Amino acid sequence: MTRSKDEFLPFGAPYIGEEEIDEVVACLRSGWIGKGPRVDRLERDFAAYRRTARAVAVSSCTAALHLSLLSIGLKPGDEVITSPMTFCATVNAIIHAGLTPVLADVDPVTQNIDPQCVEDCITSRTRAILPVHLAGRPCDMDALVAIAQRHDLEIIEDCAHATEAEFRGQPLGTFGAFGCFSFYVTKNMTTAEGGMVLARDTAGQERVKMLSLQGLSRDAWNRFSSDGYKHYEVVDCGFKYNMTDLQAAIGIHQLHRLEANWHRRVALWDRYRQALSEVPVGLPAPPAYNTRHARHLFTLQVDPDHCGMDRDAFMRGMNARHIGLGIHYAGLPDQPYYQRQFGWDPADFPHATRISRQTVSLPFSVRLSDEDANDVVEAVTATIRSSTVSG
Ligand SMILES: *Cc1c(COP(=O)(O)O)cnc(C)c1O
């Protein structure tokens, strides 16, 4: 896996071990590749990892968010407050659930939803808060839970970046009615495509499970088992959002290595922070006291006033030095569909808009060697220096 210096270093690449490969082969040979025992095991293992009892595996985090939003008993047009600094999936799930997304600006330092802005957005139609733990940094759950209690709102957490994260010792995804996780290729653990819902109570768990499988009555997914064919009833108009055993075969072993990988990314994080401390780029805020940051992304802020170049010029310079980068995210108020549909204006979200135009994510995969990380640091330093030399 050693890479020569001229070879392109991709932004993100999953680490797939021999255990995952063997498990997928065993799953294929078993003939049971749909939803079955390996999905059950991943649900149990994941729930235990997050120290809860109720997990439902689904086909993606988008599906997880959609089903969670459908399971808290809202009416069409009810408002859900979320962050402008998120992937479009968060807001699309709100829209698909027939609800109205409302954006609250983020804190300029943490880049997470600002509780004061959330409170300012509350109307008589507000029913839920959907915090996004950006880059793996926990939102201020004390403040958000207090607001939810004060205004009788539900909380559904978008934990796509935050699988390993905790707030005051409590796993993220357990603060509200539901917590939604992503096992997409670039996330901290992957099943290629996949997601997980953590549910606060058994009723929520059963409802998400039922809706993830066409709205069939309980245990219908076991209808072809060795106990004989089981009849089922359609009790709701559900979706085809279940996970398969082929995906769970990967996930079981990804979950096993999650903590070891987290420690590796903590070391990478410290290496980047230290090596870049003299470069005039903005670095991610240090994790807050008594929280556990999932270290999903390492993002820089390229402020033209300090760096002598804008973010896109910086990206071109890094690309010329064979380093791949990501953007998390181009803010949702900048996207034409939402502007048309909801009249969102980037100027109304000044912190999110500045961050979205200055932010860039460095390669941060556990597959990075120390030499790769050094190459990234050298490329950042040289790219920024090239601006001061030329101008
Ligand atoms: C990746 C991501 C999602 C969607 O996850 P999928 O599993 O791809 O559906 C949702 N929210 C955030 C913040 C994400 O990064």
Side-chain angles (χ1 to χ4, degrees), residues 204-266:
Q205 176 190 23
E206 292 297 328
R207 181 157 171 80
V208 165
K209 207 163 193 171
M210 177 271 291
L211 286 176
S212 75
L213 214 85
Q214 304 287 16
L216 306 188
S217 56
R218 213 162 156 239
D219 285 339
W221 47 86
N222 290 326
R223 64 192 185 277
F224 306 114
S225 81
S226 54
D227 303 340
Y229 185 85
K230 292 198 185 75
H231 292 284
Y232 60 82
E233 291 180 312
V234 180
V235 294
D236 207 320
C237 176
F239 300 82
K240 191 65 172 64
Y241 277 171
N242 63 281
M243 185 184 274
T244 69
D245 269 25
L246 261 185
Q247 294 163 299
I250 306 172
I252 288 163
H253 296 282
Q254 288 276 302
L255 182 58
H256 258 146
R257 46 178 110 256
L258 192 61
E259 282 296 302
N261 286 350
W262 180 79
H263 285 287
R264 170 62 187 155
R265 288 196 316 278
V266 169

Side-chain angles (χ1 to χ4, degrees), residues 60-62 65 86-87 89-90 132 158 160-161 182 184 187 194 329:
S60 69
C61 183
T62 311
L65 290 164
T86 184
F87 188 49
T90 314
V132 181
D158 182 336
H161 297 183
S182 175
Y184 178 66
K187 301 292 157 73
Y329 288 95

Side-chain angles (χ1 to χ4, degrees), residues 117-185:
C117 297
V118 171
E119 195 131 38
D120 294 344
C121 289
I122 293 175
T123 72
S124 60
R125 311 208 63 173
T126 307
R127 293 291 177 273
I129 308 172
L130 206 171
V132 181
H133 308 290
L134 188 68
R137 183 192 178 95
C139 293
D140 182 348
M141 294 314 293
D142 278 347
L144 293 178
V145 167
I147 292 170
Q149 283 172 351
R150 219 160 33 242
H151 298 273
D152 196 18
L153 310 175
E154 289 284 8
I155 290 179
I156 294 174
E157 292 170 78
D158 182 336
C159 300
H161 297 183
T163 307
E164 306 94 325
E166 296 178 1
F167 184 84
R168 302 205 195 297
Q170 184 178 339
L172 294 190
T174 64
F175 282 82
F178 297 102
C180 301
F181 295 80
S182 175
F183 305 146
Y184 178 66
V185 180

